[in-house]
Amino acid sequence: MQALIDTTFAAVETASLDLAPRRFGRVVACDGGLIEVSGLGVPIGSICTIAQGASTEHRAETIGFRNGHTMMMMLGDTVLLRPGAVVRPEGRPGMLSVGTEYLGRAVDGSGEPIDGGGPIMATTNWPAGGYRVGALDRSRVTQVFDSGIRSLNALTTFGIGQRIGIMAGSGVGKSVLMDMIVDGAQADAIVVGLIGERAREVSDFVTRHMAGERAASTAIVAVPADHAANLRLRGAMLATSIAEHLRSQGKRVLLILDSLTRVAHAAREIGILLGEPGAARGYPPSALATITKLIERAGNSEESGGAITGVYTVLADGDDQNDPVVDTARAILDGHIVLSREIAQRGQYPAVDVGASLSRVMNDIVSAEHAVAARRFRALSSTYEANRDLVMMGAYRQGADPLLDEAIALHPRMCQFLSQGFSESVDLATAFAQMTELVGSDA
């Protein structure tokens, strides 16, 4: 406690005193979560406070302008908001506080602690949208990232600085797979953004991962589903900004964002409030552009030597793998893991659909023997799945297809290979050895 007090006083001593006159505006209209303010011209991205008497205060973010009025979106509920309320700007527009102070802590989308600890005394400012760099600053992916999951290490090997999507419908195991990656991953720091998820899931995740040795190198930004859309979006930007700042210090960071679809939903709400037309199944162009910008901020940095390995969960609404968010993410990511509901219903976890999953950098980072064995495993798995109904009905005559005969013989062992317990971790070398022993390495 004394250390916290000393740190707080030190921060107050070094803070500059702003004696400039404070501008203010007044609320003139409120439509849902959209507020119109007159008399206050502030940049987009500014955070403002709305005074409600002596004890009540709301916060809102500037998202646009219209007819001489500033358009704002509440960071909370509009309950008790009244016309004529005084609105004052605060902080630096478009900037977020980042730093190593977030490691070992769990915060909300505004950077306020939710773990019961003291305030986050981070003083480094970082643009919410990140620093834009040239394409050549994103150096190639050349080193293997060990995820600790046998099927992923063997068949869709990740690389340090790669951006990977975990795509599935609801309740198929995205969050469980994400948990397993966090437990088994080797990284200097881990930043987790839980955006738009269940509050119960946030509580469980914080309890599991903010204890033990990994806690000191883990930062969690959690914004549950019942929070305002712009706060969910700010949470995703804060998690990404923290990871970018750590990368600028040369660290190898694992960034987990669960889920990218909820970020797109938040951007859609904001776009529709501003009157932007829905183009792709109700998603305005700005919503899909938002997730593209987030993903592009991860990767290797040529300048600092650091890296952000990004793992993004993507909810396929209605199990539709051609959903606009899924399709947009798949096109920009460096690889995707598809989880199948049908496979999950057979009791196989993680329910990885081997044929539909892909790592675009795998051939550049694994040995030729590993690549050949993985292709052979894929061929056997895809052949069996394509003929599964015939085999189950007994309509297939053994000997008609040698590859299918081999796939049928190996199928039980292949299913066992793809399955893994929640608390089990299998490194890359072990996964390769087990795969080679199972299917051999001959083409």
Side-chain angles (χ1 to χ4, degrees):
M1 179 58 72
Q2 185 61 44
L4 176 61
I5 295 174
D6 293 341
T7 304
T8 304
F9 277 120
V12 172
E13 288 175 0
T14 57
S16 58
L17 183 61
D18 185 7
L19 299 177
R22 294 197 66 189
R23 297 171 295 163
F24 69 91
R26 291 190 180 275
V27 175
V28 296
C30 177
D31 184 7
L34 187 65
I35 302 170
E36 292 189 34
V37 176
S38 66
L40 182 64
V42 290
I44 291 176
S46 300
I47 299 296
C48 299
T49 57
I50 305 176
Q52 286 290 102
S55 60
T56 307
E57 189 175 78
H58 293 285
R59 300 178 79 232
E61 180 183 6
T62 304
I63 60 174
F65 311 101
R66 182 183 299 157
N67 300 326
H69 289 169
T70 301
M71 315 301 294
M72 295 185 180
M73 189 173 184
M74 297 289 289
L75 292 176
D77 295 327
T78 57
V79 177
L80 299 180
L81 183 68
R82 68 173 188 268
V86 176
V87 183
R88 290 188 172 90
E90 65 175 30
R92 295 185 60 186
M95 303 298 286
L96 299 172
S97 294
V98 298
T100 55
E101 293 84 358
Y102 282 94
L103 295 177
R105 303 299 303 275
V107 300
D108 63 12
S110 299
E112 299 297 327
I114 60 173
D115 55 5
I120 305 293
M121 306 301 292
T123 56
T124 303
N125 290 311
W126 197 270
Y131 289 106
R132 182 165 294 181
V133 298
L136 295 183
D137 184 68
R138 290 288 179 262
S139 53
R140 296 178 64 241
V141 177
T142 57
Q143 299 181 52
V144 170
F145 178 87
D146 193 338
S147 66
I149 301 175
R150 179 168 44 228
S151 57
L152 304 187
N153 278 342
L155 301 168
T156 56
T157 311
F158 299 166
I160 295 175
Q162 185 179 359
R163 292 84 54 88
I164 311 107
I166 301 175
M167 302 173 177
S170 57
V172 183
K174 298 183 303 300
S175 298
V176 174
L177 186 60
M178 178 195 76
D179 261 7
M180 294 173 68
I181 292 175
V182 171
D183 284 336
Q186 300 296 319
D188 298 328
I190 299 173
V191 181
V192 182
L194 301 174
I195 311 301
E197 298 301 319
R198 298 174 292 276
R200 190 269 310 161
E201 183 179 357
V202 171
S203 178
D204 288 349
F205 192 93
V206 172
T207 301
R208 285 195 304 271
H209 296 284
M210 297 309 285
E213 299 178 357
R214 301 295 288 274
S217 60
T218 302
I220 298 176
V221 180
V223 189
D226 60 341
H227 286 56
N230 51 343
L231 195 57
R232 280 177 268 147
L233 195 55
R234 288 181 70 86
M237 291 181 175
L238 176 59
T240 306
S241 296
I242 294 171
E244 283 182 315
H245 178 255
L246 294 171
R247 178 181 62 188
S248 71
Q249 298 177 337
K251 295 182 182 294
R252 293 183 173 180
V253 185
L254 171 63
L255 171 63
I256 303 247
L257 200 61
D258 182 20
S259 77
L260 207 59
T261 305
R262 306 301 187 195
V263 175
H265 288 176
R268 178 175 62 184
E269 288 183 44
I270 296 172
I272 291 175
L273 271 178
L274 290 174
E276 191 176 353
R281 299 192 192 177
Y283 288 98
S286 63
L288 301 180
T290 297
I291 62 175
T292 301
K293 291 175 184 176
L294 271 179
I295 292 170
E296 274 298 291
R297 292 169 65 179
N300 292 324
S301 173
E302 186 75 35
E303 179 182 358
S304 68
I308 298 176
T309 304
V311 178
Y312 304 88
T313 67
V314 185
L315 174 65
D317 289 333
D319 287 348
D320 183 6
Q321 292 296 326
N322 293 316
D323 177 82
V325 177
V326 176
D327 199 43
T328 300
R330 186 168 51 218
I332 197 70
L333 288 165
D334 301 321
H336 51 272
I337 308 302
V338 177
L339 303 184
S340 167
R341 189 177 301 277
E342 182 181 352
I343 294 176
Q345 289 171 347
R346 299 176 199 162
Q348 177 182 312
Y349 288 98
V352 177
D353 186 337
V354 174
S357 302
L358 173 71
S359 172
R360 289 189 170 101
V361 304
M362 179 175 175
N363 290 336
D364 297 329
I365 58 177
V366 300
S367 64
E369 294 81 5
H370 188 149
V372 169
R375 284 198 297 270
R376 179 165 171 77
F377 191 107
R378 284 175 175 274
L380 290 167
S381 177
S382 298
T383 299
Y384 183 87
E385 291 298 331
N387 296 277
R388 181 181 180 85
D389 290 342
L390 291 176
V391 175
M392 292 293 104
M393 292 187 299
Y396 172 70
R397 180 172 55 84
Q398 189 173 4
D401 184 346
L403 185 62
L404 181 55
D405 290 340
E406 186 176 1
I408 293 171
L410 292 177
H411 180 68
R413 294 178 60 197
M414 292 172 69
C415 289
Q416 185 178 5
F417 177 86
L418 294 173
S419 300
Q420 185 170 328
F422 177 74
S423 59
E424 184 182 359
S425 181
V426 180
D427 61 36
L428 186 73
T430 303
F432 169 57
Q434 292 177 353
M435 178 176 63
T436 304
E437 188 272 333
L438 177 60
V439 301
S441 58
D442 296 328

